């Protein structure tokens, strides 16, 4: 009988994990991207499809990651190696953990640059140096902010230092204590901004933009956007959730905790839309400007409104918190691995990783100024880090973990960890074997531009493909053959 790995660190309670995982999921992309694509692709109709994708793809894989972490009690590398060894498989499968850990580090290497924009604009708001009378003026300020490597590097360095300082203090004293006030603080600030937006004159238009049930706007492109966002928004296959799962107490329900994180992430994204878009509509601006909405249009709108500077400061404090909670989660896997597997003290591991992170992030930062011409196949360092992680490593990692849980590993492991009833477990097993992998494959194909998918017209073929995969999987899977003959 395999002796179960004992935890070295634990969250003080279930809500420590929920807040930390939600903080990981709620990043800069959620603040502008989800509300915008929801409005663009049918409002409430898109939200329903998104929630269906969360349930079909995001939640089952998140449950797998948390189960891997809690069963293996370690970094992605150690946890996956221990769980696969418990099922009688070799160390080769730990490569999936290596890829997840490396993906988190690489994402953070360019994410700290984007997070630095938030801190930079918070300072500009506080110092009153964000003056501009037109969107063109704001574009010039944004460009000037990026063209100065010393300025941009300063704010990126600040994000690295704050992240490593918090992570270096430990799971309870550092991460859990920080997110226990940052996440509620972010929600409170969003609620205040929503209250401000109600009196801005554009609240009704914002509600209609986000929640109008327009099925004609829900194109195949919108369905793929919902599917892709459902996967990436929960920080899946980046090592963050798996590592956080390693600190989850044994008696805590993984299923209930996962649904709590998914619900909180969606609610915060919708709150962000209700906070941002009333101000945008009240000033007659375009809600579809992506990152420009946050760093160009919105600061201009704040300037023209009563108490705009105060609420602009509040907004960028909230945005900086969102950036920092995501940064913390993405580096924890690497620090945990050095601390647990290599015996390096957590503080030393954190600052050692921080130095390496600073060096790589500096190369990403220079992509906006001195190193703009350092390209390979048309991409600079920043673009390559984004491309490799979002287009390849995360989808492949999510697909690998789903197939491992569905076909390779002993069912008893996940049945024990998830604590589901027989019916619930059978449903989860079907989703993780067939529905979630098919969803990831669609994301993968679409992201790589291999083919143009028209889901609305091709759903019968997709259904037939799913049924074929189910039949093949049930008939030829070696794992299932063993389970039926033991």
């Amino acid at each position: 009988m395999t002796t179960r790995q004992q935890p070295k660190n634990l969250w003080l309670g279930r809500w420590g994990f929920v807040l930390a995982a939600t903080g990981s999921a709620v990043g800069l992309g959620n603040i502008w991207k989800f509300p915008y694509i929801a409005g663009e692709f049918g409002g409430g109709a898109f939200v329903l499809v998104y929630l269906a994708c969360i349930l079909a793809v995001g939640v089952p894989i998140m449950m797998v990651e948390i189960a891997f972490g809690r069963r293996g009690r370690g970094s992605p590398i150690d946890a996956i190696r221990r769980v696969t060894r418990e099922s009688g498989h070799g160390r080769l499968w730990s490569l999936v953990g290596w890829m997840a850990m490396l993906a988190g580090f690489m994402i953070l290497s360019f994410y700290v640059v984007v997070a630095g924009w938030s801190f930079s604009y918070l300072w500009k708001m506080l110092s009153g140096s964000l003056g501009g009378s037109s969107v063109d003026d704001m574009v010039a300020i944004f460009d000037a902010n990026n063209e100065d490597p010393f300025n941009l590097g300063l704010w990126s360095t600040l994000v690295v230092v704050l992240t490593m300082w918090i992570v270096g203090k430990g799971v309870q004293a550092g991460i859990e204590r920080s997110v226990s006030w940052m996440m509620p603080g972010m929600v409170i600030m969003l609620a205040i901004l929503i209250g401000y937006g109600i009196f801005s004159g554009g609240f009704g238009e914002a509600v209609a933009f986000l929640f109008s049930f327009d099925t004609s706007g829900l194109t195949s492109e919108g369905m793929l956007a919902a599917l892709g966002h459902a996967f990436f928004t929960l920080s899946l296959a980046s090592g963050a959730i798996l590592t956080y799962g390693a600190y989850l107490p044994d008696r805590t329900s993984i299923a209930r905790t996962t649904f709590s994180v998914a619900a909180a992430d969606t609610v915060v994204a919708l709150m962000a839309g209700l906070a941002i878009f009333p101000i945008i509509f009240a000033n007659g601006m375009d809600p579809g400007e992506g990152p420009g909405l946050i760093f160009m249009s919105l600061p201009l709108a704040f300037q023209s409104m009563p108490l705009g500077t105060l609420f602009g400061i509040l907004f960028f404090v909230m945005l900086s918190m969102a950036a920092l909670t995501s940064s913390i989660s993405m580096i924890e896997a690497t620090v945990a691995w050095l601390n647990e597997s290599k015996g390096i003290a957590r503080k030393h591991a954190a600052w050692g990783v921080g130095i390496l992170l600073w060096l790589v992030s500096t190369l990403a930062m220079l992509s906006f100024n001195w190193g703009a011409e350092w390209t390979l196949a048309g991409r600079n360092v920043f673009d390559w880090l984004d491309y490799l992680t979002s287009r390849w490593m995360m989808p492949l990692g999510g697909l690998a973990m789903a197939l491992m849980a569905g076909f390779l590993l002993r069912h008893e492991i996940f049945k024990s960890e998830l604590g589901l009833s027989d019916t619930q477990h059978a449903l989860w097993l079907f989703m993780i074997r067939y529905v979630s992998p098919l969803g990831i494959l669609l994301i993968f194909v679409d992201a790589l531009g291999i083919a143009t998918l028209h889901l609305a017209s091709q759903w019968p073929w997709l259904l037939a493909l799913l049924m074929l995969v189910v039949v093949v999987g049930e008939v030829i899977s070696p794992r299932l053959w063993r389970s039926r003959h033991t």
Side-chain angles (χ1 to χ4, degrees), residues 374-396:
W374 303 344
T375 62
L376 177 65
R379 292 187 177 90
N380 56 34
V381 176
F382 186 99
D383 294 335
W384 270 113
L385 290 169
D386 184 16
Y387 174 77
L388 290 173
T389 53
S390 64
R391 301 291 181 92
W392 290 94
M393 299 172 75
M394 292 176 72
L396 285 175

Side-chain angles (χ1 to χ4, degrees), residues 8-56:
K8 296 181 181 179
N9 299 289
L10 286 176
W11 303 110
L12 290 174
R14 170 174 171 256
W15 283 104
F17 173 86
V18 171
L19 291 173
T22 304
S24 175
V26 177
L28 298 180
N30 259 42
I31 302 299
W32 67 265
K33 186 175 181 180
F34 177 78
Y36 164 62
I37 59 178
E40 182 183 13
F41 294 118
F46 174 89
V47 172
L48 286 181
V49 173
Y50 168 76
L51 290 175
C53 293
I54 282 280
L55 292 174

Side-chain angles (χ1 to χ4, degrees), residues 254-273:
I254 289 179
R256 192 171 29 170
T257 302
T258 302
F259 279 104
S260 297
V261 173
D265 176 60
T266 304
V267 168
V268 170
L270 290 172
M271 288 181 69

Side-chain angles (χ1 to χ4, degrees), residues 209-273:
F209 180 77
L210 283 170
F211 298 110
S212 60
F213 199 85
D214 180 17
T215 54
S216 65
L218 189 60
T219 62
S220 58
E221 183 184 357
M223 292 182 184
L224 284 168
L227 185 60
H229 197 72
F231 179 79
F232 291 110
T233 189
L234 295 177
S235 298
L236 301 176
S238 63
I241 298 301
L242 195 153
T243 306
Y244 279 179
Y247 311 141
L248 194 67
D250 287 333
R251 295 184 179 180
T252 302
S253 168
I254 289 179
R256 192 171 29 170
T257 302
T258 302
F259 279 104
S260 297
V261 173
D265 176 60
T266 304
V267 168
V268 170
L270 290 172
M271 288 181 69

Side-chain angles (χ1 to χ4, degrees), residues 382-420:
F382 186 99
D383 294 335
W384 270 113
L385 290 169
D386 184 16
Y387 174 77
L388 290 173
T389 53
S390 64
R391 301 291 181 92
W392 290 94
M393 299 172 75
M394 292 176 72
L396 285 175
L399 182 62
M401 279 190 271
L403 295 177
M404 286 167 66
F407 292 104
L408 181 73
L409 305 179
R410 290 172 49 224
H411 290 176
E412 293 78 8
I413 293 174
F414 291 95
K415 194 162 188 178
S416 170
E417 290 299 325
L418 298 179
L420 301 173

Side-chain angles (χ1 to χ4, degrees), residues 5-160:
Q5 184 75 18
Q6 296 302 306
K8 296 181 181 179
N9 299 289
L10 286 176
W11 303 110
L12 290 174
R14 170 174 171 256
W15 283 104
F17 173 86
V18 171
L19 291 173
T22 304
S24 175
V26 177
L28 298 180
N30 259 42
I31 302 299
W32 67 265
K33 186 175 181 180
F34 177 78
Y36 164 62
I37 59 178
E40 182 183 13
F41 294 118
F46 174 89
V47 172
L48 286 181
V49 173
Y50 168 76
L51 290 175
C53 293
I54 282 280
L55 292 174
V57 178
V59 166
I61 295 178
M62 192 175 193
M63 290 169 70
V64 168
E65 288 208 42
I66 298 172
F68 262 122
R70 189 165 73 176
R71 189 74 172 195
R73 294 296 187 190
S75 68
I77 299 167
D78 295 326
I80 290 177
R81 187 182 69 246
R82 289 165 185 158
V83 175
T84 52
R85 186 173 57 198
E86 187 178 350
S87 291
H89 297 284
R91 299 170 59 92
L92 186 63
W93 292 100
S94 63
L95 290 175
V96 177
W98 276 102
M99 185 165 61
M101 191 179 79
L102 182 59
F105 181 88
M106 290 170 63
I107 292 168
L108 188 55
S109 296
F110 70 85
Y111 189 81
V112 296
V113 180
V114 182
W117 294 344
S118 302
F119 284 88
S120 173
Y121 270 66
L122 172 59
W123 172 250
K124 291 180 191 297
M125 274 287 182
L126 288 168
S127 63
S129 60
L130 200 57
S133 58
S134 67
V135 173
D136 289 339
D137 291 341
M138 289 298 177
V139 171
I141 291 172
F142 184 74
D143 290 342
N145 189 68
N146 290 340
E147 288 168 0
D148 183 352
F150 298 103
N151 173 72
L152 192 58
L154 171 67
W155 296 111
S156 300
T157 301
L158 176 63
V159 176
V160 172

